[in-house]
Amino acid sequence: MPDVNITVDGKKLAVPAGTLLIEACKSVGIEVPSFCYYPGLSLQGACRMCLVKIEKMPKLQTACTTVVTEGMVVSTEIDEVRQARKAMLELLLANHPLDCPVCDAGGECELQDMTFSYGAAESKLIDIKNHKDEQQWSPVVYFDRPRCIMCYRCVRICGEGMDVWALGTANRGSAQLIMPNHSDYLECEECGMCIDICPVGALTSGAYRYKTRPWEMKHVGTVCTHCADGCKTTLGVRRSPTGMQIVRGDNRDKSGINGDFLCIKGRYAFDFASHDHRIQQPLIRREGRHVPASYDQAYEHIALRLKEIREQHGGHAIGVIGSTRTSNEESYLLQKFARLLLGTNNIDHHRTADFPSFAGALARKKDATASMRDVFNAPAILLIGNDPTEQHPLLAWQIRNNVRLHRARLYVVNSSPIKLRRQAASFTQIPAGSEPQLAAFLAGDDSAANALASGEITREALAALRDKLRGEPNLIIIFGSELRGSSIDSLVRFGAAISGAKFVCLGDYANSRGAADMGLYPDLLPGYVPVGSGARFHEEWGAPVPTEPGMNLLQMVDAAKAGRLKALYIVGANPVARYNLDPFALSKTFIVAHDMFLTETALLAEVILPAANAYEKSGTFTNTCGDLQLLKKAGDITTVKSDFEMLLRVADRLGFDLRQLVPFRQAERADLGQSRGAQSGEADRHAIWLEAHGLEPKLSPFDPIAMLDEIQRLVPGYDVSRVELLAGNDQHTSIEAGVASSIASQPELILPANDTLFTSGTLGRYSRTLNSVIENPRRAPADKADREVVV
Amino acid sequence: MAVIKDIAAIAKGMSITLKEMFSPTVVENYPDGPGPLKGAKFQERFRGVHVLQRDENGLEKCVACFLCAAACPSNCIYIEAAENTTEQRISGAERYAQVYNIDYNRCIFCGYCVEACPTDAITHGHGFEIASLNATSLVYRKEQMLAPLPAHLGSNAVFNQAETETGTPAVRS
């Protein structure tokens, strides 16, 4: 669009036509205060804080609703404007209780900031302020009516952003108030976006209320450990007798791939970390009971038994099960531990999507995967299967807002009427379980349409849909775990005919894509390299590893039943509950479990090691789109250790040279910052500088960055910018299979998590907030009929 | 003449001595004086051990806003906040201080906390005999600094203004 020339406070500037005046001012560093204006939401013009003087207009105008026009002359710093701002603040404060010392927003309140900047701290009003008692709208949302300044941000984010429409307004004038859809309680997705976007403390969070104050916490931006979307959540951490306690989660740091968005799990479900049932010390089973032991005793016990079994029965009598919630470095270390040290390829994890087939189908295709950011900007999206609103809340947010803000065309094909159909340009309901036929049909197999056509969905309609999709350049194709094996091949063939088409394969759990990429498979090394052709890895690892594919998870259980599997090493997984295994099948096996809680699986273990969760360690996570992000440690908790450290300690006890497992070394010019200012900021920048020059100090085997080094060298697609990654930005990795054709996918092993918004595998059971929302008798999803079908 | 000059000087000196001998003593008789202060005297503004005040209903004035901790230059105030419930009401507002510790190893008695307090909950008392050979005993808990409940609110202890002002620990070990 052509540029428009305007003058603001004497500064001449050219901005694209259609720009809002408030944004134009912001672009040259002139701040126009506002409460109700929020980028990405519809315009409201409610708060009147952004009044400015425009020449030739008789009265002051709101900058947030005025579009720039040619020759406009604007003043923002004249007395008239200043007086107007001050008067507006005075009016906003007329009924605002001055309970800042108690209010949760105190210290990060926009009204406080504005009052400091623009005055009006004293009031001319002598009447008694209107008061209304605080209300609890849901287990996580509280509303303090008198603090509300009626900016409508919550109403708009809930409706426009979340498509939930649970909030509205009632009454007029000074009696006007925000009201939930059920007059005194909310029926919604409990995302808490309304709380985060509230400029004052009117909406407060049930989890954080009156616990502490913003400046008392340390704020750590890390990756959420629940679903596979990889939102950045900022954890508010404070001191506690156990080392640290997480008291709140929000998206204060909006630099993440999620921008403004965070769902209930990212915002509230950090509380499992301080659950009473957490294992606090290693447990060893003696005479049928788990008794506390020291770490040394536990490592010794594990090493002794593993050594014995390896020597007597060989490596193939040992199995390893990895986790979908441990960091990439830990998954990589675990498979290296299994292959190099235990000498076995019996390694698997809880598979939630067919990533190997996806990698195989995309072999030798460049830039064929979409990042989470791409989903927000794509001109067209095809969604097959899955229900992102429940299982991938961020993906749903990206799709929804792409449609709303960019007019993207969304095509939904699903076996149930999922909520995203409300944004869809076309919704096609197909019989349950017929997604593979759809993939075949899209790829050109017309006979497959027989299984799809029913009722309103005729063969012609399907053909029309296919033709339409073929004419959508830069289409992003998103599919759930309904598509596996050859169906993914078909879909990729269909996409190959569309220029610029990209794919997203949806898995569940925070790092299931990472677990797959890091080779937690009995037949695949990291980067989907078949175990038979991993010469590169053998060379790097400096020792031969078994080249025969090992047993998968179910085969391992069968072998254990038959007495052939003597030991099972389980890291952060609960296969007994997930796969509904018979606990007695494992009764003859020596089991080691790293876990946070005494889960069904951990109970069977002979040695249980207390594990740290993702909020208590550093490393990297890969989300389901393949975006690599840095995990930042919120703090250390006494009594638990990271899986990385515990694995290495066991390896050490087994008499293994740790240098071979983790490529740490004496750094030549390592300067850990001691010679510089001790300010943490400088230490951070220093670390980044060292990284950029390949000089990073890797003096400790417990440093996961040393492992990341090897991952970036050996795993195809992971050679992303390290500086960007360490600076906290997401980096898109590509997925490439070493040898496409040789990947034998085992679709029968894929077990989708089928989590809803309020569940999160085994971990979710230990979150008080999630449980309180589930048990809330007044909660019934707005679109209930839709949701019952999906699960 | 020199002799007269010397005698005059001695007389002048002795006159001051004799005058002071019969005027009341300025030196405080601490620690052998009477009363709980043992003879010590204070200006009103003396900044001694803190006292956490109560309101007219006997509720704690502190609402755990953390502003004292934020203002403290020696970082000696530690607070844990909690929410009042209808069953258990501790302070007048929604929040109260579950834990309120002042580390007198670090406190420099600057009074910034008192200035920062929006509810006039924390004040400086006149307690000063806090030296100890055991550093850990210098971390005062809320219970040690809290003003006693007024007698009319059911406190068995007789309301003792002097003790409140001294800020001597209400709970002695």
Side-chain angles (χ1 to χ4, degrees):
Chain A
M1 262 197 261
D3 279 2
V4 171
N5 297 300
I6 64 169
T7 312
V8 183
D9 289 347
K11 272 188 198 171
K12 289 195 190 323
L13 55 143
V15 288
T19 309
L20 291 170
L21 185 53
I22 195 168
E23 287 291 336
C25 292
K26 202 194 276 177
S27 70
V28 289
I30 294 171
E31 197 204 347
V32 177
S34 75
F35 290 109
C36 70
Y37 175 71
Y38 200 89
L41 295 180
S42 65
L43 304 178
Q44 193 73 40
C47 73
R48 321 304 290 180
M49 265 307 279
C50 62
L51 291 174
V52 291
K53 175 84 190 155
I54 301 172
E55 250 177 40
K56 293 178 189 151
M57 293 209 187
K59 287 181 179 174
L60 298 180
Q61 299 293 314
T62 49
C64 74
T65 54
T66 309
V67 176
V68 291
T69 50
E70 184 64 41
M72 198 179 243
V73 180
V74 184
S75 320
T76 70
E77 282 301 329
I78 54 172
D79 282 343
E80 191 185 355
V81 172
R82 270 192 223 118
Q83 191 51 44
R85 285 175 189 165
K86 209 170 159 183
M88 281 327 300
L89 277 172
E90 201 177 323
L91 290 173
L92 287 177
L93 288 168
N95 266 322
H96 191 88
L98 296 177
D99 62 347
C100 306
V102 183
C103 177
D104 272 339
E108 51 182 12
C109 170
E110 291 180 33
L111 186 59
Q112 261 183 349
D113 295 349
M114 297 274 194
T115 309
F116 271 109
S117 308
Y118 302 105
E122 65 289 322
S123 175
K124 300 185 196 77
L125 208 69
I126 50 164
D127 301 77
I128 293 172
K129 298 189 179 204
N130 278 340
H131 181 75
K132 275 212 166 63
D133 283 339
E134 197 177 34
Q135 295 177 315
Q136 181 175 12
W137 281 353
S138 88
V140 296
V141 182
Y142 285 73
F143 179 62
D144 195 315
R145 158 78 187 90
R147 290 183 194 152
C148 176
I149 57 166
M150 294 306 294
C151 68
Y152 298 80
R153 277 194 201 172
C154 51
V155 176
R156 283 174 289 157
I157 195 82
C158 184
E160 296 165 12
M162 293 300 298
D163 191 26
V164 169
W165 307 96
L167 290 167
T169 59
N171 305 343
R172 292 185 70 84
S174 69
Q176 193 179 24
L177 47 88
I178 301 288
M179 226 181 182
N181 49 1
H182 285 267
S183 76
D184 63 342
Y185 70 96
L186 281 168
E187 201 174 84
C188 68
E189 296 179 1
E190 312 283 359
C191 67
M193 298 278 292
C194 51
I195 300 171
D196 227 16
I197 207 164
C198 182
V200 293
L203 287 160
T204 52
S205 142
Y208 167 70
R209 263 161 68 84
Y210 304 127
K211 283 226 175 90
T212 183
R213 316 234 59 198
W215 64 85
E216 281 287 308
M217 294 180 285
K218 191 176 88 171
H219 300 276
V220 184
T222 186
V223 184
C224 172
T225 184
H226 290 283
C227 84
D229 286 350
C231 294
K232 192 181 249 188
T233 169
T234 309
L235 302 174
V237 184
R238 69 172 179 191
R239 293 179 289 181
S240 90
T242 56
M244 69 100 180
Q245 189 197 356
I246 304 170
V247 280
R248 117 176 147 174
D250 63 9
N251 58 349
R252 187 185 172 102
D253 178 351
K254 297 200 194 304
S255 68
I257 46 176
N258 46 327
D260 283 313
F261 177 78
L262 207 54
C263 80
I264 177 167
K265 287 186 239 176
R267 202 181 297 277
Y268 302 114
F270 52 77
D271 50 0
F272 62 84
S274 49
H275 196 277
D276 294 340
H277 291 178
R278 253 189 106 167
I279 307 171
Q280 300 288 346
Q281 52 191 327
L283 301 170
I284 301 180
R285 195 170 56 211
R286 296 189 203 278
E287 290 157 12
R289 291 186 53 211
H290 281 124
V291 290
S294 72
Y295 274 98
D296 270 339
Q297 286 168 331
Y299 297 142
E300 195 63 49
H301 191 101
I302 297 169
L304 213 68
R305 292 296 310 273
L306 285 181
K307 204 181 268 180
E308 194 181 289
I309 291 165
R310 195 183 55 188
E311 275 160 18
Q312 282 180 9
H313 306 279
H316 57 267
I318 307 176
V320 175
I321 294 172
S323 173
T324 47
R325 293 201 210 263
T326 54
S327 68
N328 288 331
E329 290 72 20
E330 286 168 332
S331 295
Y332 187 92
L333 177 70
L334 182 68
Q335 60 87 28
K336 202 170 168 184
F337 176 85
R339 294 187 163 117
L340 202 58
L341 211 150
L342 302 178
T344 179
N345 268 330
N346 300 336
I347 178 162
D348 207 346
H349 68 287
H350 172 195
R351 308 179 188 186
T352 57
D354 198 351
F355 289 117
S357 299
F358 184 49
L362 291 182
R364 285 179 291 275
K365 286 193 176 61
K366 282 271 165 232
D367 302 324
T369 53
S371 72
M372 197 53 97
R373 290 187 193 274
D374 291 341
V375 176
F376 180 59
N377 292 313
I381 297 165
L382 167 64
L383 174 68
I384 303 173
N386 203 286
D387 181 1
T389 313
E390 293 281 346
Q391 295 162 34
H392 293 275
L394 171 60
L395 189 85
W397 164 271
Q398 299 286 69
I399 294 175
R400 227 170 19 233
N401 287 292
N402 190 6
V403 171
R404 179 169 69 91
L405 297 171
H406 304 148
R407 301 262 175 275
R409 291 166 301 281
L410 171 66
Y411 302 90
V412 178
V413 185
N414 207 300
S415 58
S416 47
I418 61 170
K419 196 178 160 195
L420 272 178
R421 74 177 190 281
R422 299 187 352 188
Q423 275 72 34
S426 112
F427 171 68
T428 312
Q429 189 164 3
I430 56 171
S434 63
E435 287 87 356
Q437 280 81 6
L438 177 83
F441 174 76
L442 287 178
D445 179 6
D446 286 329
S447 61
N450 294 333
L452 302 168
S454 67
E456 286 174 30
I457 309 299
T458 58
R459 299 177 63 114
E460 290 71 35
L462 286 164
L465 175 70
R466 183 170 64 185
D467 290 340
K468 212 165 177 188
L469 287 169
R470 279 178 180 157
E472 287 282 9
N474 301 322
L475 179 72
I476 288 187
I477 302 171
I478 304 172
F479 59 94
S481 58
E482 290 91 343
L483 294 186
R484 302 164 187 185
S486 57
S487 304
I488 298 180
D489 273 330
S490 314
L491 195 64
V492 170
R493 255 187 299 153
F494 159 70
I498 302 168
S499 79
K502 289 181 176 182
F503 298 87
V504 175
C505 174
L506 297 177
D508 303 311
Y509 300 132
N511 203 24
S512 50
R513 168 73 182 269
D517 286 0
M518 292 306 125
L520 293 184
Y521 285 107
D523 49 352
L524 295 172
L525 290 168
Y528 308 97
V529 177
V531 284
S533 48
R536 238 160 33 123
F537 290 92
H538 300 184
E539 203 175 292
E540 174 87 18
W541 294 351
V545 295
T547 49
E548 282 295 304
M551 292 184 274
N552 62 39
L553 200 149
L554 297 179
Q555 287 166 339
M556 278 191 252
V557 176
D558 287 341
K561 207 179 216 167
R564 279 181 287 121
L565 193 82
K566 302 290 181 195
L568 193 56
Y569 202 108
I570 303 171
V571 173
N574 189 6
V576 174
R578 290 278 117 193
Y579 286 85
N580 207 7
L581 302 177
D582 174 13
F584 291 103
L586 299 167
S587 59
K588 293 189 292 269
T589 314
F590 168 67
I591 300 176
V592 180
H594 291 194
D595 216 313
M596 290 167 63
F597 302 103
L598 281 175
T599 61
E600 292 87 338
T601 307
L603 275 175
L604 304 178
E606 188 164 319
V607 186
I608 306 168
L609 293 172
N613 60 56
Y615 295 150
E616 296 154 10
K617 57 186 160 198
S618 38
T620 58
F621 265 14
T622 312
N623 77 358
T624 195
C625 299
D627 301 327
L628 189 66
Q629 294 185 91
L630 192 69
L631 274 184
K632 271 195 176 172
K633 180 154 70 174
D636 277 309
I637 288 204
T638 51
T639 72
V640 302
K641 294 184 189 305
S642 72
D643 298 307
F644 198 85
E645 181 177 339
M646 294 193 288
L647 270 177
L648 284 170
R649 291 296 302 275
V650 171
D652 185 43
R653 287 299 167 107
L654 281 163
F656 201 76
D657 178 16
L658 294 190
R659 233 166 263 275
Q660 217 180 331
L661 268 182
V662 184
F664 75 103
R665 55 177 182 263
Q666 301 289 332
E668 285 151 34
R669 285 167 53 195
D671 171 1
L672 287 164
Q674 297 95 326
S675 60
R676 294 155 182 271
Q679 281 95 343
S680 59
E682 175 156 8
D684 283 352
R685 285 197 296 280
H686 183 52
I688 289 173
W689 183 87
L690 281 173
E691 290 291 334
H693 293 79
L695 292 170
E696 66 266 53
K698 289 178 293 243
L699 303 173
S700 156
F702 300 135
D703 182 4
I705 295 289
M707 199 85 249
L708 180 65
D709 232 20
E710 183 173 319
I711 293 173
Q712 291 210 287
R713 255 198 328 272
L714 292 183
V715 180
Y718 273 73
D719 49 347
V720 296
S721 159
R722 182 83 74 84
V723 173
E724 288 287 325
L725 188 67
L726 287 175
N729 298 331
D730 51 299
Q731 290 289 295
H732 190 64
T733 63
S734 54
I735 189 168
E736 291 165 29
V739 186
S741 54
S742 70
I743 290 179
S745 118
Q746 290 146 317
E748 69 282 0
L749 281 169
I750 293 165
L751 188 71
N754 282 334
D755 276 326
T756 67
L757 266 173
F758 310 121
T759 64
S760 179
T762 307
L763 203 55
R765 301 200 305 232
Y766 296 95
S767 165
R768 284 181 299 273
T769 310
L770 291 183
N771 285 327
S772 71
V773 170
I774 293 167
E775 287 157 13
N776 179 17
R778 296 202 292 197
R779 186 188 71 81
D783 232 342
K784 200 172 179 197
D786 297 356
R787 287 164 197 228
E788 276 173 349
V789 193
V790 190
V791 178
Chain B
M1 281 305 282
V3 177
I4 296 168
K5 224 177 180 178
D6 288 350
I7 292 170
I10 290 170
K12 191 182 175 192
M14 285 311 285
S15 75
I16 293 172
T17 308
L18 289 169
K19 200 169 81 195
E20 290 300 319
M21 256 169 98
F22 296 105
S23 62
T25 172
V26 174
V27 177
E28 287 167 19
N29 193 18
Y30 174 82
D32 297 323
L37 293 179
K38 296 189 235 172
K41 286 188 188 123
F42 291 105
Q43 296 293 324
E44 264 303 281
R45 63 180 185 215
F46 177 78
R47 299 195 293 260
V49 172
H50 300 86
V51 179
L52 293 171
Q53 303 291 351
R54 292 179 185 274
D55 63 13
E56 59 273 28
N57 299 317
L59 294 170
E60 289 171 19
K61 277 187 175 176
C62 175
V63 295
C65 73
F66 290 76
L67 284 176
C68 49
C72 182
S74 58
N75 201 9
C76 67
I77 303 181
Y78 176 79
I79 306 171
E80 275 176 30
E83 195 182 347
N84 281 314
T85 56
T86 38
E87 295 82 44
Q88 197 201 22
R89 177 154 281 285
I90 308 286
S91 78
E94 284 94 332
R95 189 171 48 210
Y96 73 98
Q98 196 173 34
V99 176
Y100 193 107
N101 293 346
I102 295 184
D103 183 351
Y104 283 102
N105 292 297
R106 304 185 62 138
C107 178
I108 56 168
F109 299 94
C110 64
Y112 283 8
C113 50
V114 177
E115 236 168 277
C117 184
T119 60
D120 291 337
I122 188 166
T123 56
H124 273 298
H126 287 175
F128 65 102
E129 283 184 311
I130 50 170
S132 168
L133 291 171
N134 182 357
T136 52
S137 71
L138 284 174
V139 179
Y140 276 33
R141 288 174 294 119
K142 183 174 87 170
E143 294 74 16
Q144 291 171 283
M145 293 180 285
L146 207 55
L149 268 177
H152 70 275
L153 282 169
S155 166
N156 285 329
V158 176
F159 187 61
N160 184 338
Q161 189 61 40
E163 212 160 82
T164 309
E165 278 176 1
T166 59
T168 40
V171 183
R172 279 182 204 265
S173 53

